[in-house]
């Protein structure tokens, strides 16, 4: 009887192996041992090969598309914390420099340092010491003279925004209410030049023109945690979407006037937007501390909600380059979720806590990869999944990947690769299927 049971179980397992489609196939992992809170995929060397630039609070990592470590940068000073990292070609040689911003704390003194790592050889190009902590970094050619400006968000002793030229010389600065932890750029007044959109920990969103003039500011009731800028309703002008710690999603027009506000039941950690249903209007995707991912239309009406297992910290709308499908990635404390455009759960992968998501074809095989930065106390790293575009929707809401549940109680890197790549998705009964897994895959 026991033999018949095992044979039947093997047939079920093999049947799942045969027809189950894994929409995110695990490719590789890089272990940092500390939380990875920021990721950028960029052609750093100007040779057409994407590189992965990632950072924790202690180090900056550069990896190639196959997961090989190129270099690690560690700030030289004791108790120096990294808050901002970015990459840009400062000297117009087609090779991008890496900018690293930090905070140093000694007793009651705070200051920051801006490091510029040269390219292609990762040596120090220049270092600038500042009288405040660097909270964020961004770059853009603001005045369209083919020279890149460095935009710094400041905090601690002085809160504000500073703009430097490519050599680190100050062009202008503006004091703000609260530390500037978010920076992006877009043309907000249709004058052909990018403006700076900055979010502060005091809950204020500022829009500066290229010369430092304030076009407008808008006050929320708590820390601005995420910003999306884009044309939501195809009227030719940009809207600003704000996710705030006051539980609200705000949408402002190009002049900073409130178009609508939507209240959630938790802090709004991340926002993104994409035309999911191809109606020429973008849907707004939000992740909230109440564990829900919400999708709103461009007018602020709720279209659908997906309930996660815990807080949703990262969202990414996925417009597949080689497919006519739109999907959504969401990261929580425990899982990476893959959803279709109507909120149906396509895949659920235990990789959390997810801190950042980036999508790009990092190995130039014509398929996008999902690059996930994750981490918690004493753990962290980068996961790479390949997006499988041969998608067939199936009801798998209650199914979990066997690999991650199995790895929690057992060890062995071999299973980690084989089971995930195979797309084997069955829950483990109490006690596990150690003998059966060993029989099938040893």
């Amino acid at each position: 009887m026991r033999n018949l049971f095992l044979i039947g179980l093997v047939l079920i397992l093999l049947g799942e192996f045969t027809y189950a489609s894994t929409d995110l196939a695990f490719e590789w992992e890089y272990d940092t041992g500390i939380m990875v809170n920021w990721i950028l995929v960029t052609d750093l060397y100007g040779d057409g090969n994407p590189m992965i630039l990632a950072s924790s609070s202690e180090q900056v990592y550069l990896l190639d598309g196959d997961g090989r470590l190129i270099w690690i940068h560690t700030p030289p000073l004791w108790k120096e914390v990294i808050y901002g990292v970015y990459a840009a070609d400062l000297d117009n040689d087609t090779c991008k420099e890496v900018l690293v911003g930090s905070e140093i704390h000694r007793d009651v003194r705070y200051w920051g340092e801006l490091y510029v790592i040269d390219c292609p050889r990762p040596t120090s190009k220049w270092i600038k010491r500042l009288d405040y902590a660097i909270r964020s970094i961004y770059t853009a050619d603001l005045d369209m003279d083919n020279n890149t400006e460095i935009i710094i968000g400041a905090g601690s002793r002085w809160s504000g925004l500073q703009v430097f030229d490519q050599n680190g010389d100050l062009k202008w600065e503006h004091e703000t209410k609260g530390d500037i932890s978010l920076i992006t750029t877009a043309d907000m007044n249709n004058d052909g030049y990018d403006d700076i959109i900055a979010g502060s920990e005091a809950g204020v969103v500022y829009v500066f023109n290229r010369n430092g003039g304030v076009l407008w500011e808008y006050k929320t009731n708590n820390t601005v945690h995420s910003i999306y800028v884009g044309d939501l309703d195809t009227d030719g002008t940009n809207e600003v979407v704000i996710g705030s710690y006051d539980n609200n999603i705000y949408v402002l027009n190009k002049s900073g006037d409130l178009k609508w506000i939507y209240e959630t039941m938790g802090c709004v950690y991340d926002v993104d937007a994409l035309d999911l249903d191809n109606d020429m209007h973008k849907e707004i995707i939000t992740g909230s501390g109440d564990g829900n991912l919400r999708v709103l239309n461009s007018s602020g009406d709720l279209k659908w909600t997906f309930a996660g297992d815990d807080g949703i910290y990262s969202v990414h709308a996925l417009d597949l380059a080689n497919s006519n499908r739109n999907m959504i990635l969401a990261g929580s404390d425990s899982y990476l979720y893959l959803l279709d455009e109507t909120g149906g759960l396509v895949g659920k992968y235990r990789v959390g806590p997810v801190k950042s998501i980036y999508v790009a074809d990092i190995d130039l095989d014509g398929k996008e990869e999902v690059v996930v930065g994750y981490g918690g106390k004493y753990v962290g790293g980068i996961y790479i999944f390949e997006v499988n575009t041969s998608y067939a929707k199936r009801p798998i809401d209650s199914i979990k990947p066997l690999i991650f549940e199995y790895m929690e109680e057992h060890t062995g890197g071999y299973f980690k690769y084989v089971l995930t790549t195979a797309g084997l998705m069955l829950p483990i009964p109490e006690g596990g299927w150690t003998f059966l897994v060993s029989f099938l895959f040893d």
Side-chain angles (χ1 to χ4, degrees), residues 21 48 62 106 116 124 137 145 152 182 219 228 278 310 327 337-338 355 434:
S21 175
L62 183 69
R106 296 286 188 277
V116 176
S124 176
I137 298 178
D145 63 351
I152 298 293
L182 291 170
K219 180 73 168 68
Y228 171 88
N278 300 314
D310 40 36
M327 307 186 83
Y337 302 95
L338 180 64
K355 299 302 179 181
T434 307

Side-chain angles (χ1 to χ4, degrees), residues 38 40 42 44 53 85-89 96-99 137 139:
W38 182 89
L40 174 70
T42 183
L44 194 76
L53 188 64
V85 180
Y86 211 71
D89 183 7
K96 294 179 180 177
E97 286 74 31
V98 175
L99 296 86
I137 298 178
T139 65

Side-chain angles (χ1 to χ4, degrees), residues 396-412:
I396 57 171
D397 293 29
S398 62
I399 298 176
K400 298 179 181 179
L402 175 60
I403 173 60
F404 295 111
E405 297 296 330
Y406 185 78
M407 289 296 292
E408 284 182 352
E409 300 180 6
H410 304 270
T411 58

Side-chain angles (χ1 to χ4, degrees), residues 7-311:
I7 291 171
L9 193 53
V10 169
L11 289 175
I12 293 172
L13 197 57
L14 289 177
E16 188 73 16
F17 178 87
T18 301
Y19 67 76
S21 175
T22 304
D23 296 281
L24 293 181
F26 176 79
E27 288 199 334
W28 52 264
E29 175 191 1
Y30 181 82
D31 185 8
T32 61
I34 187 173
M35 181 192 302
V36 172
N37 47 35
W38 182 89
I39 286 175
L40 174 70
V41 178
T42 183
D43 179 6
L44 194 76
Y45 295 110
D47 58 1
N49 293 306
M51 310 294 287
I52 300 170
L53 188 64
S55 75
S56 67
S57 62
E58 298 178 357
Q59 292 180 312
V60 181
Y61 312 84
L62 183 69
L63 295 89
D64 68 13
D66 295 318
R68 289 184 290 264
L69 180 67
I70 307 301
W71 53 254
I72 294 178
H73 170 77
T74 303
L77 298 180
W78 179 61
K79 286 190 176 180
E80 186 166 3
V81 180
I82 296 171
Y83 277 98
V85 180
Y86 211 71
D89 183 7
L90 299 180
D91 50 13
N92 296 324
D93 64 352
T94 73
C95 199
K96 294 179 180 177
E97 286 74 31
V98 175
L99 296 86
V100 182
S102 69
E103 176 187 80
I104 301 100
H105 180 202
R106 296 286 188 277
D107 299 323
V108 296
R109 294 183 298 129
Y110 289 86
W111 73 92
E113 291 194 340
L114 173 62
Y115 300 88
V116 176
I117 302 172
D118 206 356
C119 179
R121 187 179 178 186
T123 56
S124 176
K125 192 177 182 75
W126 51 264
I127 301 174
K128 189 175 186 66
R129 180 167 175 168
L130 303 169
D131 292 331
Y132 50 81
I134 297 175
R135 292 286 184 241
S136 52
I137 298 178
Y138 201 79
T139 65
D141 182 4
L142 296 174
D143 44 17
M144 299 181 67
D145 63 351
N146 294 319
N147 292 308
T148 298
E149 279 77 34
I150 303 167
I151 309 166
I152 298 293
S156 291
R157 295 178 61 185
W158 180 81
S159 297
L161 193 88
Q162 290 188 316
V163 173
F164 299 87
D165 67 16
Q166 69 271 28
N167 299 310
D169 296 322
L170 182 66
K171 297 186 72 170
W172 59 263
E173 65 183 8
H174 195 287
E175 188 171 5
T176 60
K177 301 170 186 174
D179 298 357
I180 297 296
S181 55
L182 291 170
I183 302 172
T184 190
T185 59
D187 185 0
M188 294 301 301
N189 54 5
N190 292 351
D191 65 351
Y193 293 93
D194 275 352
D195 306 299
I196 301 171
I197 302 95
S200 84
E201 294 181 4
V204 183
V205 173
Y206 296 89
V207 176
F208 301 93
N209 65 21
R210 66 187 186 279
N211 299 314
V214 178
L215 298 182
W216 53 263
E217 60 183 80
Y218 184 88
K219 180 73 168 68
T220 72
N221 296 315
N222 208 324
T223 298
V224 175
H225 201 268
S226 54
I227 293 175
Y228 171 88
V229 182
D231 185 0
L232 298 178
D233 49 14
T234 62
D235 65 350
T237 62
N238 286 322
E239 282 80 27
V240 178
V241 184
I242 304 167
S244 172
Y245 266 25
D246 66 8
N247 300 355
N248 290 312
I249 304 158
Y250 301 82
V251 172
L252 314 178
N253 66 15
K254 67 174 184 177
S255 302
D257 301 317
L258 181 67
K259 296 186 72 171
W260 53 263
I261 183 173
Y262 185 95
E263 184 177 8
T264 74
M265 299 299 291
C267 300
V268 181
Y269 290 113
D270 203 8
V271 294
D272 200 3
L274 183 69
D275 183 5
L276 295 173
D277 53 11
N278 300 314
D279 66 348
M280 303 299 292
H281 287 74
K282 291 181 180 178
E283 280 71 39
I284 298 164
I285 303 103
T286 70
S288 180
D290 62 7
N292 290 306
L293 181 148
R294 294 174 175 85
V295 172
L296 313 173
N297 65 19
S298 60
S299 300
D301 302 315
L302 180 67
K303 297 192 70 171
W304 52 264
T305 300
F306 171 80
D309 295 82
D310 40 36

